[in-house]
Amino acid sequence: MYRGHSGSTIRSHNRSLLLRLLLLHEPISRVELASITGLTMPTVHGLIKELMQEGIVEELGTTDPQGGGAGRRAALLGLRPKSRMSIGVDLGVRTTRIGLLDIKGEVLAEKQVIRHEADEEPRDTLDKVFLAIEETLDRVPLNPRDIVGLGIGVPGLVDVATGHVRRTPNLGWQGIPLGAWFQERLALPVIVDNNIRAMAIGERMFGRGREEANLISFFVGPGIGAGILINDDIFRGVSDGAGEVGHTLIDPAGPVCRCGRQGCLEAVASNTAIIRKVWEAATAGQDSELGNLVLQELSSQDSGELTIEDVVRWAEGGNTYCKELLEDAGRFLGEGIANLINLFNPELIIVGGELFNHSDLVFDSLAATARQKAFSVPADSVALVKTGFGKGQGLIGAGALALREFFYSSSTSQTLVEYPRVAEQGRVRR
Ligand SMILES: [Zn+2]
């Protein structure tokens, strides 16, 4: 249904369009902005003047004159760093990261909060998070009015419209009005979403996905999931449950998953599944070298837990059991990715998680399987990369949830100007 648009709606839509082009393609001139968007030069001039007066846009220099010095130089524009900021909360099963991001996705300050017990009350965890937010903001000189909002990435099912956490199996939270709790204490817009969906948004705005409007972020942690962007829109599904690739069947004879079914991807290739297999092999005396490594690790720390980083380190150090286990996990993950490629035909899949941060072992195995198992046409057109954010992927995603609202909020759902693909217009990315 077309409802028509007032002049101010069109103006704010165009303003938001220019902001997004500046984010993805700066430095860029007014002439290029006009030619990509189809807006008139006076419109572009007026909106850029307004954005410069607000301190959001600045001039970065000039283009080289055309024809070796005779032509006119045009001013190149970009977003002014630190002109707007957001707070990101990457809620983790054990570690929660809190950070301040600027308009370009730079992390200006960061803190971590640890949940000491698995059954810590949500309110107790959040009290620590609020304290960490205050401490983070104290460390950076800023005008509170420049903070556009707070984004929270949650490892589980979230009702995005209400900010309610439906279920986070790994945290054990259920029916928590997280958005409302945050809003009670901070006078800011609060956006709550699934953490892996947030990562997809962070990658699109600030990371490896700046050139691709059809991308999937694939994350392996205690669980496995996917964040899906189709034509720059977040695909959430009808009840915000899309992307649960961890609960797709991968091995009918595999172990029982925590969802109750047998042979889910998560049950065979998540960090939890891998660590459990290492633990079982070590305690069963299957591999004496591994047994010694596990004993040494447990006696050198007080948490009494193995981490996925330990397993990766041992595999890279030459332990055959761990190496084969990780290569197997990579093959299962590659099957999951091949399914995503066949279903969504994306341009880009960005893989993240601690399994990939310090080693290419799992990634190489995953990429080879994905290429081999996906149909050739979609497989040929997809790029498969690791995140460039490392451990910061979730935090940057969480902060991006709020910044995305800033970049997109003034646009209407009724697209007035088709979102342009700059690459298709022959422009070389700087
Ligand atoms: Zn499952």
Side-chain angles (χ1 to χ4, degrees):
M1 184 178 70
Y2 184 77
R3 284 163 299 182
H5 297 282
S6 67
S8 67
T9 311
I10 293 170
R11 186 176 172 79
S12 70
H13 171 88
N14 290 339
R15 178 187 150 107
S16 135
L17 185 62
L18 292 184
L19 276 173
R20 295 202 299 277
L21 284 173
L22 284 157
L23 170 69
L24 296 176
H25 304 291
E26 70 167 38
I28 187 165
S29 69
R30 291 175 179 85
V31 175
E32 286 172 300
L33 286 171
S35 109
I36 293 167
T37 56
L39 298 173
T40 64
M41 277 308 286
T43 302
V44 171
H45 269 283
L47 289 168
I48 292 296
K49 189 177 167 199
E50 181 182 295
L51 290 165
M52 287 177 82
Q53 279 165 352
E54 290 169 31
I56 300 169
V57 170
E58 63 182 1
E59 288 190 358
L60 301 170
T62 55
T63 53
D64 288 333
Q66 306 263 313
R72 279 187 60 185
R73 289 170 184 267
L76 288 170
L77 307 166
L79 298 173
R80 197 164 67 83
K82 299 181 199 170
S83 56
R84 294 292 183 276
M85 285 162 270
S86 76
I87 302 165
V89 176
D90 174 28
L91 196 64
V93 175
R94 188 168 184 87
T95 307
T96 292
R97 288 163 182 266
I98 294 106
L100 185 68
L101 251 72
D102 87 344
I103 192 167
K104 296 184 171 208
E106 202 70 39
V107 180
L108 303 175
E110 188 185 339
K111 260 193 98 65
Q112 289 187 13
V113 161
I114 308 289
R115 289 173 83 232
H116 289 288
E117 293 147 29
D119 56 355
E120 187 174 284
E121 286 293 323
R123 280 276 192 185
D124 293 339
T125 304
L126 294 182
D127 281 342
K128 293 193 244 174
V129 171
F130 284 121
L131 193 63
I133 290 175
E134 282 169 13
E135 288 170 1
T136 309
L137 295 182
D138 281 348
R139 274 157 50 186
V140 181
L142 54 81
N143 183 341
R145 279 179 309 181
D146 292 338
I147 300 179
V148 299
L150 175 124
I152 313 168
V154 177
L157 287 170
V158 173
D159 183 339
V160 177
T162 62
H164 256 67
V165 173
R166 286 214 181 96
R167 209 160 62 89
T168 58
N170 290 313
L171 272 165
W173 293 8
Q174 210 161 343
I176 305 285
L178 198 62
W181 285 3
F182 272 88
Q183 234 147 17
E184 270 171 26
R185 296 181 59 168
L186 298 161
L188 280 174
V190 176
I191 320 278
V192 189
D193 207 334
N194 170 269
N195 60 341
I196 303 170
R197 214 167 283 147
M199 289 172 202
I201 295 166
E203 295 287 354
R204 169 67 178 143
M205 291 175 68
F206 309 118
R208 294 260 153 101
R210 289 161 57 88
E211 302 254 322
E212 284 87 8
N214 290 281
L215 68 84
I216 294 178
S217 75
F218 180 88
F219 185 80
V220 184
I224 296 172
I228 302 155
L229 246 65
I230 299 174
N231 290 333
D232 235 8
D233 269 338
I234 309 161
F235 182 63
R236 292 197 169 89
V238 72
S239 49
D240 297 325
E244 291 291 342
V245 65
H247 298 287
T248 54
L249 181 70
I250 218 80
D251 178 10
V256 173
C257 180
R258 65 188 161 79
C259 74
R261 297 191 323 143
Q262 193 179 353
C264 292
L265 179 58
E266 201 165 295
V268 294
S270 66
N271 292 357
T272 318
I274 293 168
I275 291 169
R276 193 187 57 238
K277 279 182 201 160
V278 168
W279 184 254
E280 283 167 5
T283 49
Q286 230 172 300
D287 181 315
S288 59
E289 185 198 340
L290 181 64
N292 287 334
L293 288 169
V294 169
L295 274 178
Q296 271 169 28
E297 182 58 34
L298 293 184
S299 59
S300 70
Q301 45 144 337
D302 48 21
S303 72
E305 281 175 14
L306 295 181
T307 66
I308 199 68
E309 276 135 334
D310 297 330
V311 182
V312 172
R313 201 175 63 245
W314 297 336
E316 288 287 356
N319 180 266
T320 316
Y321 181 85
C322 290
K323 186 165 180 285
E324 284 172 3
L325 184 65
L326 291 185
E327 282 167 351
D328 284 347
R331 279 190 281 276
F332 285 125
L333 295 169
E335 299 262 9
I337 287 184
N339 291 341
L340 288 172
I341 293 172
N342 289 349
L343 282 170
F344 293 101
N345 189 193
E347 299 169 273
L348 177 67
I349 296 185
I350 302 163
V351 178
E354 284 164 350
L355 264 177
F356 312 101
N357 284 347
H358 305 293
S359 161
D360 283 328
L361 196 66
V362 181
F363 183 79
D364 289 346
S365 158
L366 163 163
T369 306
R371 294 254 169 248
Q372 191 194 342
K373 296 291 177 79
F375 271 142
S376 64
V377 171
D380 287 346
S381 48
V382 68
L384 202 54
V385 298
K386 292 209 288 189
T387 179
F389 294 142
K391 281 191 167 185
Q393 196 189 17
L395 176 61
I396 291 168
L401 286 175
L403 284 165
R404 188 179 199 273
E405 290 297 302
F406 171 73
F407 280 101
Y408 284 73
S409 61
S410 32
S411 64
T412 60
S413 56
Q414 201 96 42
T415 308
L416 297 181
V417 182
E418 191 71 28
Y419 191 75
R421 291 292 315 283
V422 174
E424 281 169 11
Q425 304 199 6
R427 183 189 160 82
V428 178
R429 189 179 171 198
R430 288 165 216 253

